[in-house]
């Protein structure tokens, strides 16, 4: 057991923190907010230049070749600044499965431009009423060496700006993982307006042709790929929630130390200090469970229980810390001239992405019923 | 960062689990179940003797002191297993007070007591609290006054647990009455033999059936070398003792064992309609919530044991684990008791008792440690001040 950070992990953390705190100012966020998309392209380019987009992309594919934990540290920092960049859908949900399951040709073609920030590849894990990408309703019918796809995906981040969208679809022989060109014939993107401001779309697929070169995994491996990718995505969101909730808690601690009522800083009221202390405990629980899951996934051991546990903490802690922070700030917490509101929106975004606390607990409960989740 | 046991740690845990499986005979289990948390019976002392002979007492003590020289991390693995097994191991004596005594007692007392502790033949009771001093320990009024070659101790302590089995009391007393000296700088630690003249105790019977004691010191005279450490410097010993104690208090061994046993129970038992308990969605939900909570506690303890080993223990983290763990236990016992239903109210001696009455007992004892070891309100004060740099009210 080792809770220290390696030099490499610290380097990634420091580099990410430095660039993000320098670049993501309130003014800059406001400018991005005025644009049709919540996506800071200049920041993305800067992160690419620093090599951070390729943190866990192999060196042969133009990245740094580091591990999943390093990527999570970068994502935690993105959460700490609620930076308007699609780190998870692109760098985790899409890039990691391409690297793990894609052919050499696909890796070369797709990852290098992604790591250098030239292209985005996003992921469509959700369907209306469907939160598990390993069991899609969307159908794929083999045609030649490729597929014809029909179905609906929802909550697709940045689809209209992406080269490809990674989706799952079912065939008679199993689930396949395909890369959809969002500009292909038969694809309709309907923009959604969502809490976090992330530019999302509903993506309707009507007889969309997918060429062989865009088949990431056939029916023998597609389901496994989707579960593999979803687990990493969930843990990456938990890491992001660490950054989001830690920062909003610390913002709250500073604010209450300054804000005076009845002639004293409100932080000196035990009722205030104790609610903040509860947040501290919550954030610690989230941090430990998130990084345990990251560490186990990196070691490539079966970690589905630990991933579910991290997901429940990410949802619960995001919710509790968000509302405690708002409450302790009073009116200023909801004032859009003060940055807290952005954190609250992202905490919520993460809470409900890829399954809620309740649905995840139910999944874990089913596993318990099968005798598969004893405490070691 | 690697949040996994090393193969050596895994092997130690496996070895210990097998060891305690064998140690905990049904007879010993029945004896210790009858006196919750206390030990002190004949079979208990036999087991302590065996633990001493097998070298399991003082896992984290240095080899020079007669221990195994393992780190705080291995020590925590040991505590987790001993607690999971349900053996009332006197860890306050062996893991908390013991090493501090070994480092700070006079040479004569060290040579006299340390071997007995490591042989499993000596238990110490800790006397800090007084009727007027609990979490605000610095306000204690029991005095120790030097008289020639002796110290004269006068006062009353409360909640002196294990004093009924103890050979010595590790007691905090005021040695400096100068009002100009800060309250916590005038306290020293002494060793009072329970055989000393003027020492007396009366039992306090608690809600959880655990017996604790009020102890009385009516001009008890003890030799000068029964002072531990420097005069007036007892506060440091108390705080470092409490840091070690807190980590043991929230060890996740017992609750993990209880969850596993409840899951097995729910697997085997059926409702009158024939349905397996474990098939009820609400049962699965309760169990899942406990499972999720335990994982965080486990990691908090692991991180702290790692921090102590690497000399990086943060005050706020220690308090966070104490608050989280003690309050989680209460919630977990409730969620598990709901799974058992009304039988969770049946006492150990009752006819239909399940899971050895653990949940019934836990209900009655769980609140002890939310205030014991430093009230959780004060721990939260520590967290907001030391962990979040929030100013505190002056008091």
């Amino acid at each position: 057991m080792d809770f220290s950070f390696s030099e490499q992990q610290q380097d990634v953390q420091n580099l990410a923190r430095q660039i993000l705190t320098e670049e993501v100012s309130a003014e800059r966020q406001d400018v991005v907010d005025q644009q049709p998309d919540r996506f800071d392209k200049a920041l993305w380019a800067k992160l690419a230049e620093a090599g951070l987009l390729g943190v866990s992309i192999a060196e042969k594919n133009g990245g740094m070749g580091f591990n999943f934990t390093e990527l999570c540290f970068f994502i935690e920092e993105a959460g700490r600044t609620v930076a308007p960049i699609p780190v998870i859908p692109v760098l985790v949900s899409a890039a990691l499965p391409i690297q793990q399951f894609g052919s050499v040709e696909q890796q070369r073609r797709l990852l290098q431009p992604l790591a250098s920030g030239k292209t985005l590849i996003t992921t469509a894990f959700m369907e209306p009423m469907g939160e598990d990408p390993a069991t899609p309703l969307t159908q794929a019918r083999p045609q030649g060496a490729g597929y014809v796809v029909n179905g609906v995906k929802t909550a697709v981040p940045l689809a209209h700006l992406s080269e490809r969208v990674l989706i799952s679809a079912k065939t008679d022989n199993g689930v396949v993982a395909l890369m959809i060109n969002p500009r292909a014939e038969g694809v309709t993107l309907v923009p959604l307006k969502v809490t976090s401001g992330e530019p999302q779309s509903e993506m309707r697929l009507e007889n969309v042709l997918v060429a062989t070169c865009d088949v990431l995994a056939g029916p023998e491996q597609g389901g496994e790929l989707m579960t593999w990718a979803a687990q990493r995505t969930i843990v990456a969101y938990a890491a992001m929630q660490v950054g989001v909730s830690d920062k909003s808690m610390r913002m709250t601690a500073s604010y209450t130390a300054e804000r005076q009522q009845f002639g004293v800083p409100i932080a000196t009221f035990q009722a205030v200090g104790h609610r903040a202390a509860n947040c501290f405990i919550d954030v610690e629980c989230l941090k430990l469970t998130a990084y345990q899951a990251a560490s186990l996934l990196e070691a490539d051991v079966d970690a589905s229980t630990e991933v579910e546990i991290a997901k429940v903490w990410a949802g619960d802690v995001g919710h509790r810390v968000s509302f405690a922070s708002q409450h302790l700030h009073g009116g200023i917490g909801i004032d859009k001239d003060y940055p807290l509101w952005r954190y609250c929106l992202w905490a919520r975004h993460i809470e409900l992405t890829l399954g809620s606390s309740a649905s995840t607990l139910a999944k874990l409960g089913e596993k318990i019923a099968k005798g598969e989740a004893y405490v070691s | 960062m690697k949040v996994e046991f090393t193969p050596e740690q895994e092997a130690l845990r496996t070895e210990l689990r097998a060891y305690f499986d064998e140690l905990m005979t049904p007879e010993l289990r029945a004896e210790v179940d009858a006196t919750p948390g206390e030990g002190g019976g004949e079979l208990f002392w036999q087991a302590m003797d065996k633990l001493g002979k097998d070298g399991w007492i003082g896992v984290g003590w240095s080899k020079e002191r007669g221990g195994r020289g393992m780190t705080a991390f291995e020590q925590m693995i040991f505590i987790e297993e001993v607690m999971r097994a349900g053996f009332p191991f006197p860890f306050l004596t062996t893991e908390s007070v013991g090493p501090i005594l070994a480092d700070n007692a006079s040479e004569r007392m060290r040579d006299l007591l340390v071997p007995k502790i490591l042989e499993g033949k000596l238990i110490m009771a800790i006397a800090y609290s007084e009727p007027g001093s609990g979490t605000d320990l610095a306000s204690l009024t029991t005095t120790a006054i030097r008289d020639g070659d002796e110290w004269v101790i006068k006062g009353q302590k409360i909640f002196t647990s294990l004093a009924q089995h103890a050979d010595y009391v590790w007691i905090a007393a005021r040695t400096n009455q100068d009002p100009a000296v800060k309250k916590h700088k005038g306290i020293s630690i002494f060793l009072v033999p329970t055989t000393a003249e003027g020492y007396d105790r009366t039992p306090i019977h608690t809600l959880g059936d655990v017996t604790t004691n009020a102890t009385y010191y009516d001009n008890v005279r003890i030799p000068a070398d029964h002072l531990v450490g420097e005069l007036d410097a007892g506060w440091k010993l108390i705080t470092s003792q409490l840091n070690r104690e807190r980590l043991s208090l929230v060890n996740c061994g017992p609750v993990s064992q209880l969850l596993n046993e409840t899951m097995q129970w729910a697997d085997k038992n059926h409702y009158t309609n024939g349905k397996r308990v474990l098939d009820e969605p609400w049962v699965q939900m309760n169990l899942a919530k406990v499972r999720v909570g335990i994982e965080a506690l486990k990691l908090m303890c692991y991180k702290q044991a790692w921090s102590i080993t690497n000399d990086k223990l943060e005050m706020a983290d220690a308090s966070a684990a104490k608050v989280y763990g003690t309050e989680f236990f209460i919630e977990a016992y409730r969620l598990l008791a709901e799974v058992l239903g009304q039988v969770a109210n049946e006492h150990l001696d009752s006819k239909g008792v399940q899971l050895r009455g653990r949940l019934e007992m836990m209900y009655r004892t769980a609140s002890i440690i939310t205030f014991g070891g430093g009230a959780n309100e004060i721990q939260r004060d520590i967290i907001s001040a030391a962990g979040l740099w929030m100013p505190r009210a002056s008091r």
Side-chain angles (χ1 to χ4, degrees), chain A residues 2 274 278 284 292 373, chain B residues 1-2 291 295 303 380-381:
Chain A
D2 180 7
H274 285 190
N278 288 344
E284 185 68 11
Q292 168 177 255
Chain B
M1 189 167 52
K2 192 161 175 58
R291 183 69 186 81
E295 198 67 21
K303 183 181 156 190
R380 284 189 169 88
D381 283 352

Side-chain angles (χ1 to χ4, degrees), chain B residues 34-54:
Chain B
T35 50
E38 285 175 35
E42 198 187 324
L43 298 175
F44 165 82
W45 285 113
Q46 282 175 19
M48 284 298 289
D49 184 61
K50 180 170 164 53
L51 279 160
K53 287 205 172 87
D54 293 341

Side-chain angles (χ1 to χ4, degrees), chain A residues 1-6 9 69 73 249-250 252-254 256-257 265-270 272-281 284-292 294-296 298-299 301 305-306 308-309 312-313 316 328 357-362 364-371 373-376, chain B residues 1-6 9 13 17 73 80-81 84 255-257 259-261 263-264 267 276 278-279 284-285 287-289 291-304 306-307 310 312 316-317 319-321 323-324 327 376-381 383-384 387-395:
Chain A
M1 198 79 57
D2 180 7
F3 288 91
S4 65
F5 297 170
S6 68
Q9 287 165 343
T69 317
F73 279 121
M249 165 180 83
R250 289 182 190 278
T252 306
S254 310
T256 56
I266 60 172
T268 61
F269 301 135
Q270 233 174 5
V272 172
H274 285 190
R275 196 149 182 208
N278 288 344
C279 293
F280 182 92
I281 295 168
E284 185 68 11
C285 290
L286 168 60
K287 197 185 289 178
L288 290 168
T289 51
Y291 281 103
Q292 168 177 255
S295 167
L296 293 175
E298 180 173 306
V301 297
T305 298
E306 288 80 2
E308 282 160 5
I309 288 170
V312 174
W313 279 106
D316 289 355
L328 293 177
S357 287
S359 70
T360 310
L361 279 168
L364 179 58
E366 279 176 32
K367 206 181 275 177
I368 286 171
K370 288 189 221 147
Y374 284 97
V375 189
S376 62
Chain B
M1 189 167 52
K2 192 161 175 58
V3 193
E4 279 177 280
F5 277 11
T6 62
Q9 288 162 351
R13 179 157 80 161
R17 197 163 293 179
F73 200 90
E80 189 174 322
E81 291 310 315
R84 183 190 278 258
V255 73
S256 301
Q257 180 68 14
L259 171 64
N260 286 347
E261 285 175 12
M263 292 197 282
Q264 283 158 355
D267 179 26
R276 185 176 68 142
L278 201 44
D279 287 329
Q284 294 176 12
M285 204 68 166
L287 295 173
K289 282 180 182 168
R291 183 69 186 81
V292 165
I294 283 180
E295 198 67 21
L297 179 61
K298 197 164 91 179
L299 293 169
M300 273 179 149
C301 292
Y302 290 173
K303 183 181 156 190
Q304 275 193 72
W306 174 85
S307 301
N310 293 282
K312 285 180 178 162
D317 285 352
S319 295
V323 173
Y324 173 70
E327 294 177 4
N376 283 4
E377 286 70 21
I378 303 305
Q379 304 304 320
R380 284 189 169 88
D381 283 352
I383 294 166
S384 57
L388 292 168
W389 302 102
M390 291 166 73
R392 299 167 76 160
S394 54
R395 55 172 80 87

Side-chain angles (χ1 to χ4, degrees), chain A residues 172-322:
Chain A
D172 291 343
N173 300 316
V175 170
V176 292
L178 308 172
M179 315 275 280
I180 302 286
N181 177 348
R183 283 160 296 277
E185 206 183 324
V187 179
T188 316
L189 297 178
V190 183
L192 303 174
K193 197 168 155 75
V194 300
T195 296
S196 63
E198 183 179 68
Q200 295 183 351
S201 302
E202 181 179 89
M203 184 169 74
R204 296 182 193 148
L205 306 165
E206 264 178 87
N207 294 319
V208 179
L209 286 171
V210 178
T212 331
C213 65
D214 281 335
V215 177
L216 195 56
E220 70 292 337
Q221 227 186 0
E224 182 200 336
L225 178 152
M226 283 297 148
T227 301
W228 188 94
Q231 285 187 344
R232 278 149 188 84
T233 303
I234 287 170
V235 172
Y237 273 116
M240 182 178 266
Q241 193 78 302
V242 172
V244 169
S245 53
D246 186 66
K247 178 69 186 190
S248 41
M249 165 180 83
R250 289 182 190 278
M251 222 186 274
T252 306
S254 310
Y255 177 78
T256 56
E258 297 295 324
R259 165 80 171 160
Q260 302 238 342
Q261 289 284 268
F262 307 102
V264 290
I266 60 172
T268 61
F269 301 135
Q270 233 174 5
V272 172
H274 285 190
R275 196 149 182 208
N278 288 344
C279 293
F280 182 92
I281 295 168
D282 258 348
V283 171
E284 185 68 11
C285 290
L286 168 60
K287 197 185 289 178
L288 290 168
T289 51
Y291 281 103
Q292 168 177 255
S295 167
L296 293 175
L297 289 179
E298 180 173 306
D300 217 15
V301 297
D302 175 19
S304 65
T305 298
E306 288 80 2
V307 170
E308 282 160 5
I309 288 170
K311 174 65 180 148
V312 174
W313 279 106
D316 289 355
V317 172
H319 171 83
R320 287 195 289 257
V321 172
S322 172

